[in-house]
PDB file of all heavy atoms in Angstrom:
ATOM      1  N   PRO B 152       2.875   1.229  -3.485  1.00  0.00           N
ATOM      2  CA  PRO B 152       1.578   1.613  -2.895  1.00  0.00           C
ATOM      3  C   PRO B 152       0.523   0.518  -2.954  1.00  0.00           C
ATOM      4  O   PRO B 152      -0.544   0.673  -2.384  1.00  0.00           O
ATOM      5  CB  PRO B 152       1.149   2.835  -3.715  1.00  0.00           C
ATOM      6  CG  PRO B 152       2.016   2.907  -4.881  1.00  0.00           C
ATOM      7  CD  PRO B 152       3.170   2.007  -4.698  1.00  0.00           C
ATOM      8  N   TRP B 153       0.813  -0.595  -3.615  1.00  0.00           N
ATOM      9  CA  TRP B 153      -0.200  -1.638  -3.787  1.00  0.00           C
ATOM     10  C   TRP B 153      -0.020  -2.806  -2.829  1.00  0.00           C
ATOM     11  O   TRP B 153      -0.404  -3.925  -3.136  1.00  0.00           O
ATOM     12  CB  TRP B 153      -0.190  -2.140  -5.228  1.00  0.00           C
ATOM     13  CG  TRP B 153      -0.717  -1.121  -6.157  1.00  0.00           C
ATOM     14  CD1 TRP B 153       0.009  -0.263  -6.923  1.00  0.00           C
ATOM     15  CD2 TRP B 153      -2.082  -0.807  -6.402  1.00  0.00           C
ATOM     16  NE1 TRP B 153      -0.821   0.564  -7.633  1.00  0.00           N
ATOM     17  CE2 TRP B 153      -2.110   0.246  -7.326  1.00  0.00           C
ATOM     18  CE3 TRP B 153      -3.298  -1.321  -5.924  1.00  0.00           C
ATOM     19  CZ2 TRP B 153      -3.300   0.798  -7.789  1.00  0.00           C
ATOM     20  CZ3 TRP B 153      -4.472  -0.771  -6.383  1.00  0.00           C
ATOM     21  CH2 TRP B 153      -4.465   0.273  -7.298  1.00  0.00           C
ATOM     22  N   ASN B 154       0.557  -2.563  -1.680  1.00  0.00           N
ATOM     23  CA  ASN B 154       0.695  -3.638  -0.696  1.00  0.00           C
ATOM     24  C   ASN B 154      -0.609  -3.738   0.094  1.00  0.00           C
ATOM     25  O   ASN B 154      -0.748  -3.211   1.182  1.00  0.00           O
ATOM     26  CB  ASN B 154       1.878  -3.339   0.230  1.00  0.00           C
ATOM     27  CG  ASN B 154       2.019  -4.378   1.302  1.00  0.00           C
ATOM     28  OD1 ASN B 154       1.635  -5.526   1.131  1.00  0.00           O
ATOM     29  ND2 ASN B 154       2.546  -3.977   2.443  1.00  0.00           N
ATOM     30  N   LEU B 155      -1.583  -4.430  -0.487  1.00  0.00           N
ATOM     31  CA  LEU B 155      -2.942  -4.398   0.063  1.00  0.00           C
ATOM     32  C   LEU B 155      -3.352  -5.681   0.777  1.00  0.00           C
ATOM     33  O   LEU B 155      -4.478  -5.792   1.240  1.00  0.00           O
ATOM     34  CB  LEU B 155      -3.939  -4.090  -1.063  1.00  0.00           C
ATOM     35  CG  LEU B 155      -3.852  -2.652  -1.582  1.00  0.00           C
ATOM     36  CD1 LEU B 155      -4.680  -2.492  -2.826  1.00  0.00           C
ATOM     37  CD2 LEU B 155      -4.293  -1.668  -0.536  1.00  0.00           C
ATOM     38  N   LEU B 156      -2.446  -6.660   0.871  1.00  0.00           N
ATOM     39  CA  LEU B 156      -2.844  -7.915   1.520  1.00  0.00           C
ATOM     40  C   LEU B 156      -3.247  -7.766   2.987  1.00  0.00           C
ATOM     41  O   LEU B 156      -4.206  -8.413   3.420  1.00  0.00           O
ATOM     42  CB  LEU B 156      -1.742  -8.964   1.370  1.00  0.00           C
ATOM     43  CG  LEU B 156      -1.761  -9.734   0.053  1.00  0.00           C
ATOM     44  CD1 LEU B 156      -0.651 -10.760   0.030  1.00  0.00           C
ATOM     45  CD2 LEU B 156      -3.102 -10.434  -0.145  1.00  0.00           C
ATOM     46  N   PRO B 157      -2.556  -6.903   3.787  1.00  0.00           N
ATOM     47  CA  PRO B 157      -3.029  -6.735   5.172  1.00  0.00           C
ATOM     48  C   PRO B 157      -4.468  -6.219   5.211  1.00  0.00           C
ATOM     49  O   PRO B 157      -5.276  -6.656   6.041  1.00  0.00           O
ATOM     50  CB  PRO B 157      -2.073  -5.697   5.761  1.00  0.00           C
ATOM     51  CG  PRO B 157      -0.898  -5.679   4.882  1.00  0.00           C
ATOM     52  CD  PRO B 157      -1.328  -6.133   3.535  1.00  0.00           C
ATOM     53  N   VAL B 158      -4.790  -5.322   4.276  1.00  0.00           N
ATOM     54  CA  VAL B 158      -6.150  -4.789   4.215  1.00  0.00           C
ATOM     55  C   VAL B 158      -7.129  -5.901   3.853  1.00  0.00           C
ATOM     56  O   VAL B 158      -8.221  -5.999   4.417  1.00  0.00           O
ATOM     57  CB  VAL B 158      -6.224  -3.623   3.191  1.00  0.00           C
ATOM     58  CG1 VAL B 158      -7.604  -3.029   3.152  1.00  0.00           C
ATOM     59  CG2 VAL B 158      -5.192  -2.572   3.509  1.00  0.00           C
ATOM     60  N   PHE B 159      -6.710  -6.768   2.918  1.00  0.00           N
ATOM     61  CA  PHE B 159      -7.585  -7.871   2.525  1.00  0.00           C
ATOM     62  C   PHE B 159      -7.818  -8.817   3.703  1.00  0.00           C
ATOM     63  O   PHE B 159      -8.943  -9.296   3.906  1.00  0.00           O
ATOM     64  CB  PHE B 159      -6.985  -8.642   1.337  1.00  0.00           C
ATOM     65  CG  PHE B 159      -7.993  -9.490   0.629  1.00  0.00           C
ATOM     66  CD1 PHE B 159      -8.691  -8.994  -0.460  1.00  0.00           C
ATOM     67  CD2 PHE B 159      -8.282 -10.772   1.063  1.00  0.00           C
ATOM     68  CE1 PHE B 159      -9.648  -9.755  -1.103  1.00  0.00           C
ATOM     69  CE2 PHE B 159      -9.237 -11.549   0.420  1.00  0.00           C
ATOM     70  CZ  PHE B 159      -9.918 -11.030  -0.658  1.00  0.00           C
ATOM     71  N   ALA B 160      -6.761  -9.062   4.481  1.00  0.00           N
ATOM     72  CA  ALA B 160      -6.898  -9.949   5.647  1.00  0.00           C
ATOM     73  C   ALA B 160      -7.922  -9.392   6.639  1.00  0.00           C
ATOM     74  O   ALA B 160      -8.766 -10.134   7.156  1.00  0.00           O
ATOM     75  CB  ALA B 160      -5.535 -10.129   6.317  1.00  0.00           C
ATOM     76  N   ILE B 161      -7.875  -8.070   6.874  1.00  0.00           N
ATOM     77  CA  ILE B 161      -8.840  -7.451   7.786  1.00  0.00           C
ATOM     78  C   ILE B 161     -10.247  -7.527   7.180  1.00  0.00           C
ATOM     79  O   ILE B 161     -11.223  -7.818   7.873  1.00  0.00           O
ATOM     80  CB  ILE B 161      -8.463  -5.978   8.083  1.00  0.00           C
ATOM     81  CG1 ILE B 161      -7.061  -5.883   8.699  1.00  0.00           C
ATOM     82  CG2 ILE B 161      -9.489  -5.324   8.999  1.00  0.00           C
ATOM     83  CD1 ILE B 161      -6.930  -6.414  10.090  1.00  0.00           C
ATOM     84  N   ALA B 162     -10.324  -7.313   5.860  1.00  0.00           N
ATOM     85  CA  ALA B 162     -11.628  -7.377   5.195  1.00  0.00           C
ATOM     86  C   ALA B 162     -12.255  -8.765   5.354  1.00  0.00           C
ATOM     87  O   ALA B 162     -13.474  -8.884   5.517  1.00  0.00           O
ATOM     88  CB  ALA B 162     -11.488  -7.011   3.722  1.00  0.00           C
ATOM     89  N   CYS B 163     -11.417  -9.825   5.322  1.00  0.00           N
ATOM     90  CA  CYS B 163     -11.932 -11.188   5.531  1.00  0.00           C
ATOM     91  C   CYS B 163     -12.592 -11.310   6.899  1.00  0.00           C
ATOM     92  O   CYS B 163     -13.700 -11.853   7.032  1.00  0.00           O
ATOM     93  CB  CYS B 163     -10.796 -12.203   5.469  1.00  0.00           C
ATOM     94  SG  CYS B 163     -10.058 -12.390   3.873  1.00  0.00           S
ATOM     95  N   MET B 164     -11.899 -10.768   7.916  1.00  0.00           N
ATOM     96  CA  MET B 164     -12.449 -10.876   9.275  1.00  0.00           C
ATOM     97  C   MET B 164     -13.748 -10.105   9.394  1.00  0.00           C
ATOM     98  O   MET B 164     -14.727 -10.597   9.968  1.00  0.00           O
ATOM     99  CB  MET B 164     -11.437 -10.329  10.280  1.00  0.00           C
ATOM    100  CG  MET B 164     -10.252 -11.244  10.423  1.00  0.00           C
ATOM    101  SD  MET B 164      -8.955 -10.454  11.330  1.00  0.00           S
ATOM    102  CE  MET B 164      -7.576 -11.416  10.751  1.00  0.00           C
ATOM    103  N   VAL B 165     -13.769  -8.895   8.844  1.00  0.00           N
ATOM    104  CA  VAL B 165     -14.986  -8.089   8.917  1.00  0.00           C
ATOM    105  C   VAL B 165     -16.125  -8.803   8.205  1.00  0.00           C
ATOM    106  O   VAL B 165     -17.261  -8.830   8.693  1.00  0.00           O
ATOM    107  CB  VAL B 165     -14.746  -6.681   8.323  1.00  0.00           C
ATOM    108  CG1 VAL B 165     -16.038  -5.884   8.271  1.00  0.00           C
ATOM    109  CG2 VAL B 165     -13.706  -5.925   9.128  1.00  0.00           C
ATOM    110  N   SER B 166     -15.820  -9.429   7.048  1.00  0.00           N
ATOM    111  CA  SER B 166     -16.899 -10.058   6.287  1.00  0.00           C
ATOM    112  C   SER B 166     -17.479 -11.258   7.037  1.00  0.00           C
ATOM    113  O   SER B 166     -18.689 -11.486   6.977  1.00  0.00           O
ATOM    114  CB  SER B 166     -16.401 -10.460   4.903  1.00  0.00           C
ATOM    115  OG  SER B 166     -15.446 -11.476   5.026  1.00  0.00           O
ATOM    116  N   VAL B 167     -16.626 -11.979   7.748  1.00  0.00           N
ATOM    117  CA  VAL B 167     -17.139 -13.106   8.537  1.00  0.00           C
ATOM    118  C   VAL B 167     -18.123 -12.594   9.591  1.00  0.00           C
ATOM    119  O   VAL B 167     -19.231 -13.128   9.757  1.00  0.00           O
ATOM    120  CB  VAL B 167     -15.976 -13.894   9.201  1.00  0.00           C
ATOM    121  CG1 VAL B 167     -16.511 -14.860  10.241  1.00  0.00           C
ATOM    122  CG2 VAL B 167     -15.185 -14.641   8.148  1.00  0.00           C
ATOM    123  N   VAL B 168     -17.716 -11.511  10.263  1.00  0.00           N
ATOM    124  CA  VAL B 168     -18.569 -10.928  11.297  1.00  0.00           C
ATOM    125  C   VAL B 168     -19.874 -10.424  10.695  1.00  0.00           C
ATOM    126  O   VAL B 168     -20.960 -10.636  11.237  1.00  0.00           O
ATOM    127  CB  VAL B 168     -17.788  -9.794  12.002  1.00  0.00           C
ATOM    128  CG1 VAL B 168     -18.707  -9.003  12.902  1.00  0.00           C
ATOM    129  CG2 VAL B 168     -16.636 -10.369  12.801  1.00  0.00           C
ATOM    130  N   LYS B 169     -19.767  -9.796   9.535  1.00  0.00           N
ATOM    131  CA  LYS B 169     -20.943  -9.210   8.901  1.00  0.00           C
ATOM    132  C   LYS B 169     -21.914 -10.283   8.417  1.00  0.00           C
ATOM    133  O   LYS B 169     -23.129 -10.160   8.566  1.00  0.00           O
ATOM    134  CB  LYS B 169     -20.495  -8.342   7.729  1.00  0.00           C
ATOM    135  CG  LYS B 169     -21.504  -7.282   7.340  1.00  0.00           C
ATOM    136  CD  LYS B 169     -20.959  -6.402   6.235  1.00  0.00           C
ATOM    137  CE  LYS B 169     -22.069  -5.600   5.599  1.00  0.00           C
ATOM    138  NZ  LYS B 169     -22.397  -4.387   6.332  1.00  0.00           N
ATOM    139  N   LEU B 170     -21.362 -11.355   7.851  1.00  0.00           N
ATOM    140  CA  LEU B 170     -22.215 -12.405   7.298  1.00  0.00           C
ATOM    141  C   LEU B 170     -22.935 -13.195   8.373  1.00  0.00           C
ATOM    142  O   LEU B 170     -23.911 -13.878   8.101  1.00  0.00           O
ATOM    143  CB  LEU B 170     -21.378 -13.350   6.434  1.00  0.00           C
ATOM    144  CG  LEU B 170     -20.960 -12.781   5.087  1.00  0.00           C
ATOM    145  CD1 LEU B 170     -19.908 -13.658   4.444  1.00  0.00           C
ATOM    146  CD2 LEU B 170     -22.159 -12.636   4.171  1.00  0.00           C
ATOM    147  N   ARG B 171     -22.429 -13.100   9.599  1.00  0.00           N
ATOM    148  CA  ARG B 171     -23.061 -13.822  10.687  1.00  0.00           C
ATOM    149  C   ARG B 171     -24.511 -13.381  10.883  1.00  0.00           C
ATOM    150  O   ARG B 171     -25.342 -14.150  11.355  1.00  0.00           O
ATOM    151  CB  ARG B 171     -22.275 -13.569  11.972  1.00  0.00           C
ATOM    152  CG  ARG B 171     -22.039 -14.839  12.686  1.00  0.00           C
ATOM    153  CD  ARG B 171     -20.971 -14.736  13.718  1.00  0.00           C
ATOM    154  NE  ARG B 171     -19.846 -15.544  13.333  1.00  0.00           N
ATOM    155  CZ  ARG B 171     -18.660 -15.459  13.894  1.00  0.00           C
ATOM    156  NH1 ARG B 171     -18.449 -14.562  14.828  1.00  0.00           N
ATOM    157  NH2 ARG B 171     -17.693 -16.237  13.515  1.00  0.00           N
ATOM    158  N   THR B 172     -24.812 -12.146  10.483  1.00  0.00           N
ATOM    159  CA  THR B 172     -26.179 -11.658  10.631  1.00  0.00           C
ATOM    160  C   THR B 172     -27.080 -12.190   9.521  1.00  0.00           C
ATOM    161  O   THR B 172     -28.285 -12.088   9.605  1.00  0.00           O
ATOM    162  CB  THR B 172     -26.204 -10.121  10.605  1.00  0.00           C
ATOM    163  OG1 THR B 172     -25.643  -9.688   9.362  1.00  0.00           O
ATOM    164  CG2 THR B 172     -25.402  -9.537  11.745  1.00  0.00           C
ATOM    165  N   LEU B 173     -26.476 -12.734   8.451  1.00  0.00           N
ATOM    166  CA  LEU B 173     -27.278 -13.184   7.309  1.00  0.00           C
ATOM    167  C   LEU B 173     -27.461 -14.695   7.272  1.00  0.00           C
ATOM    168  O   LEU B 173     -28.434 -15.194   6.735  1.00  0.00           O
ATOM    169  CB  LEU B 173     -26.622 -12.741   5.994  1.00  0.00           C
ATOM    170  CG  LEU B 173     -26.361 -11.244   5.799  1.00  0.00           C
ATOM    171  CD1 LEU B 173     -25.686 -11.010   4.462  1.00  0.00           C
ATOM    172  CD2 LEU B 173     -27.647 -10.450   5.881  1.00  0.00           C
ATOM    173  N   GLY B 174     -26.498 -15.420   7.779  1.00  0.00           N
ATOM    174  CA  GLY B 174     -26.586 -16.869   7.718  1.00  0.00           C
ATOM    175  C   GLY B 174     -25.522 -17.482   8.598  1.00  0.00           C
ATOM    176  O   GLY B 174     -25.063 -16.858   9.543  1.00  0.00           O
ATOM    177  N   THR B 175     -25.095 -18.709   8.257  1.00  0.00           N
ATOM    178  CA  THR B 175     -24.058 -19.366   9.041  1.00  0.00           C
ATOM    179  C   THR B 175     -22.727 -19.222   8.313  1.00  0.00           C
ATOM    180  O   THR B 175     -22.643 -19.516   7.116  1.00  0.00           O
ATOM    181  CB  THR B 175     -24.383 -20.862   9.213  1.00  0.00           C
ATOM    182  OG1 THR B 175     -25.790 -20.969   9.432  1.00  0.00           O
ATOM    183  CG2 THR B 175     -23.636 -21.447  10.379  1.00  0.00           C
ATOM    184  N   VAL B 176     -21.738 -18.791   9.025  1.00  0.00           N
ATOM    185  CA  VAL B 176     -20.425 -18.611   8.411  1.00  0.00           C
ATOM    186  C   VAL B 176     -19.419 -19.433   9.182  1.00  0.00           C
ATOM    187  O   VAL B 176     -19.482 -19.519  10.397  1.00  0.00           O
ATOM    188  CB  VAL B 176     -19.945 -17.142   8.489  1.00  0.00           C
ATOM    189  CG1 VAL B 176     -18.984 -16.854   7.362  1.00  0.00           C
ATOM    190  CG2 VAL B 176     -21.070 -16.181   8.522  1.00  0.00           C
ATOM    191  N   SER B 177     -18.475 -20.027   8.456  1.00  0.00           N
ATOM    192  CA  SER B 177     -17.389 -20.678   9.177  1.00  0.00           C
ATOM    193  C   SER B 177     -16.063 -20.207   8.611  1.00  0.00           C
ATOM    194  O   SER B 177     -15.904 -20.015   7.407  1.00  0.00           O
ATOM    195  CB  SER B 177     -17.516 -22.191   9.099  1.00  0.00           C
ATOM    196  OG  SER B 177     -17.283 -22.616   7.782  1.00  0.00           O
ATOM    197  N   TRP B 178     -15.152 -19.993   9.505  1.00  0.00           N
ATOM    198  CA  TRP B 178     -13.791 -19.611   9.141  1.00  0.00           C
ATOM    199  C   TRP B 178     -13.145 -20.738   8.385  1.00  0.00           C
ATOM    200  O   TRP B 178     -13.286 -21.886   8.750  1.00  0.00           O
ATOM    201  CB  TRP B 178     -12.959 -19.424  10.406  1.00  0.00           C
ATOM    202  CG  TRP B 178     -13.115 -18.144  11.076  1.00  0.00           C
ATOM    203  CD1 TRP B 178     -13.837 -17.901  12.193  1.00  0.00           C
ATOM    204  CD2 TRP B 178     -12.502 -16.926  10.704  1.00  0.00           C
ATOM    205  NE1 TRP B 178     -13.712 -16.593  12.531  1.00  0.00           N
ATOM    206  CE2 TRP B 178     -12.909 -15.976  11.641  1.00  0.00           C
ATOM    207  CE3 TRP B 178     -11.656 -16.536   9.665  1.00  0.00           C
ATOM    208  CZ2 TRP B 178     -12.488 -14.655  11.575  1.00  0.00           C
ATOM    209  CZ3 TRP B 178     -11.247 -15.237   9.596  1.00  0.00           C
ATOM    210  CH2 TRP B 178     -11.667 -14.310  10.545  1.00  0.00           C
ATOM    211  N   GLU B 179     -12.372 -20.412   7.388  1.00  0.00           N
ATOM    212  CA  GLU B 179     -11.618 -21.440   6.691  1.00  0.00           C
ATOM    213  C   GLU B 179     -10.149 -21.040   6.679  1.00  0.00           C
ATOM    214  O   GLU B 179      -9.822 -19.871   6.877  1.00  0.00           O
ATOM    215  CB  GLU B 179     -12.159 -21.607   5.267  1.00  0.00           C
ATOM    216  CG  GLU B 179     -13.549 -22.218   5.217  1.00  0.00           C
ATOM    217  CD  GLU B 179     -13.640 -23.590   5.865  1.00  0.00           C
ATOM    218  OE1 GLU B 179     -12.765 -24.420   5.624  1.00  0.00           O
ATOM    219  OE2 GLU B 179     -14.605 -23.810   6.624  1.00  0.00           O
ATOM    220  N   PRO B 180      -9.241 -22.010   6.474  1.00  0.00           N
ATOM    221  CA  PRO B 180      -7.807 -21.684   6.591  1.00  0.00           C
ATOM    222  C   PRO B 180      -7.308 -20.638   5.596  1.00  0.00           C
ATOM    223  O   PRO B 180      -6.264 -20.038   5.831  1.00  0.00           O
ATOM    224  CB  PRO B 180      -7.110 -23.026   6.348  1.00  0.00           C
ATOM    225  CG  PRO B 180      -8.142 -23.925   5.799  1.00  0.00           C
ATOM    226  CD  PRO B 180      -9.450 -23.437   6.300  1.00  0.00           C
ATOM    227  N   GLY B 181      -8.038 -20.424   4.491  1.00  0.00           N
ATOM    228  CA  GLY B 181      -7.577 -19.452   3.497  1.00  0.00           C
ATOM    229  C   GLY B 181      -7.233 -18.097   4.073  1.00  0.00           C
ATOM    230  O   GLY B 181      -6.217 -17.498   3.729  1.00  0.00           O
ATOM    231  N   SER B 182      -8.076 -17.608   5.016  1.00  0.00           N
ATOM    232  CA  SER B 182      -7.817 -16.271   5.550  1.00  0.00           C
ATOM    233  C   SER B 182      -6.571 -16.251   6.429  1.00  0.00           C
ATOM    234  O   SER B 182      -5.865 -15.248   6.474  1.00  0.00           O
ATOM    235  CB  SER B 182      -9.033 -15.759   6.319  1.00  0.00           C
ATOM    236  OG  SER B 182      -9.614 -16.780   7.064  1.00  0.00           O
ATOM    237  N   LEU B 183      -6.285 -17.385   7.097  1.00  0.00           N
ATOM    238  CA  LEU B 183      -5.046 -17.447   7.882  1.00  0.00           C
ATOM    239  C   LEU B 183      -3.818 -17.416   6.972  1.00  0.00           C
ATOM    240  O   LEU B 183      -2.816 -16.792   7.294  1.00  0.00           O
ATOM    241  CB  LEU B 183      -5.018 -18.711   8.748  1.00  0.00           C
ATOM    242  CG  LEU B 183      -5.914 -18.663   9.977  1.00  0.00           C
ATOM    243  CD1 LEU B 183      -5.830 -19.983  10.722  1.00  0.00           C
ATOM    244  CD2 LEU B 183      -5.501 -17.517  10.891  1.00  0.00           C
ATOM    245  N   TRP B 184      -3.921 -18.092   5.814  1.00  0.00           N
ATOM    246  CA  TRP B 184      -2.819 -18.060   4.853  1.00  0.00           C
ATOM    247  C   TRP B 184      -2.616 -16.647   4.317  1.00  0.00           C
ATOM    248  O   TRP B 184      -1.485 -16.219   4.093  1.00  0.00           O
ATOM    249  CB  TRP B 184      -3.058 -19.044   3.710  1.00  0.00           C
ATOM    250  CG  TRP B 184      -2.845 -20.479   4.083  1.00  0.00           C
ATOM    251  CD1 TRP B 184      -3.795 -21.458   4.166  1.00  0.00           C
ATOM    252  CD2 TRP B 184      -1.605 -21.110   4.424  1.00  0.00           C
ATOM    253  NE1 TRP B 184      -3.224 -22.649   4.551  1.00  0.00           N
ATOM    254  CE2 TRP B 184      -1.876 -22.468   4.718  1.00  0.00           C
ATOM    255  CE3 TRP B 184      -0.290 -20.646   4.534  1.00  0.00           C
ATOM    256  CZ2 TRP B 184      -0.884 -23.361   5.092  1.00  0.00           C
ATOM    257  CZ3 TRP B 184       0.696 -21.549   4.912  1.00  0.00           C
ATOM    258  CH2 TRP B 184       0.399 -22.880   5.184  1.00  0.00           C
ATOM    259  N   ILE B 185      -3.725 -15.938   4.103  1.00  0.00           N
ATOM    260  CA  ILE B 185      -3.602 -14.553   3.619  1.00  0.00           C
ATOM    261  C   ILE B 185      -2.889 -13.708   4.674  1.00  0.00           C
ATOM    262  O   ILE B 185      -1.998 -12.917   4.365  1.00  0.00           O
ATOM    263  CB  ILE B 185      -4.986 -13.967   3.290  1.00  0.00           C
ATOM    264  CG1 ILE B 185      -5.604 -14.707   2.095  1.00  0.00           C
ATOM    265  CG2 ILE B 185      -4.906 -12.481   2.982  1.00  0.00           C
ATOM    266  CD1 ILE B 185      -7.039 -14.364   1.832  1.00  0.00           C
ATOM    267  N   LEU B 186      -3.284 -13.914   5.943  1.00  0.00           N
ATOM    268  CA  LEU B 186      -2.651 -13.175   7.038  1.00  0.00           C
ATOM    269  C   LEU B 186      -1.154 -13.490   7.086  1.00  0.00           C
ATOM    270  O   LEU B 186      -0.318 -12.590   7.226  1.00  0.00           O
ATOM    271  CB  LEU B 186      -3.329 -13.555   8.351  1.00  0.00           C
ATOM    272  CG  LEU B 186      -3.082 -12.632   9.538  1.00  0.00           C
ATOM    273  CD1 LEU B 186      -3.621 -11.244   9.248  1.00  0.00           C
ATOM    274  CD2 LEU B 186      -3.739 -13.192  10.788  1.00  0.00           C
ATOM    275  N   ALA B 187      -0.811 -14.783   6.939  1.00  0.00           N
ATOM    276  CA  ALA B 187       0.602 -15.179   6.970  1.00  0.00           C
ATOM    277  C   ALA B 187       1.370 -14.510   5.834  1.00  0.00           C
ATOM    278  O   ALA B 187       2.488 -14.008   6.033  1.00  0.00           O
ATOM    279  CB  ALA B 187       0.719 -16.698   6.870  1.00  0.00           C
ATOM    280  N   THR B 188       0.772 -14.497   4.631  1.00  0.00           N
ATOM    281  CA  THR B 188       1.437 -13.855   3.499  1.00  0.00           C
ATOM    282  C   THR B 188       1.644 -12.372   3.770  1.00  0.00           C
ATOM    283  O   THR B 188       2.709 -11.825   3.472  1.00  0.00           O
ATOM    284  CB  THR B 188       0.592 -14.019   2.214  1.00  0.00           C
ATOM    285  OG1 THR B 188       0.120 -15.358   2.146  1.00  0.00           O
ATOM    286  CG2 THR B 188       1.399 -13.700   0.989  1.00  0.00           C
ATOM    287  N   ALA B 189       0.624 -11.727   4.358  1.00  0.00           N
ATOM    288  CA  ALA B 189       0.731 -10.292   4.654  1.00  0.00           C
ATOM    289  C   ALA B 189       1.880 -10.023   5.618  1.00  0.00           C
ATOM    290  O   ALA B 189       2.672  -9.097   5.407  1.00  0.00           O
ATOM    291  CB  ALA B 189      -0.588  -9.780   5.230  1.00  0.00           C
TER     292      ALA B 189
END
Side-chain angles (χ1 to χ4, degrees):
Chain B
W153 290 98
N154 177 28
L155 290 170
L156 276 181
V158 182
F159 198 93
I161 301 290
C163 292
M164 289 169 203
V165 174
S166 67
V167 168
V168 170
K169 203 176 165 83
L170 286 168
R171 227 164 246 166
T172 59
L173 303 179
T175 320
V176 206
S177 68
W178 279 103
E179 291 301 315
S182 40
L183 285 178
W184 285 113
I185 294 171
L186 196 62
T188 316

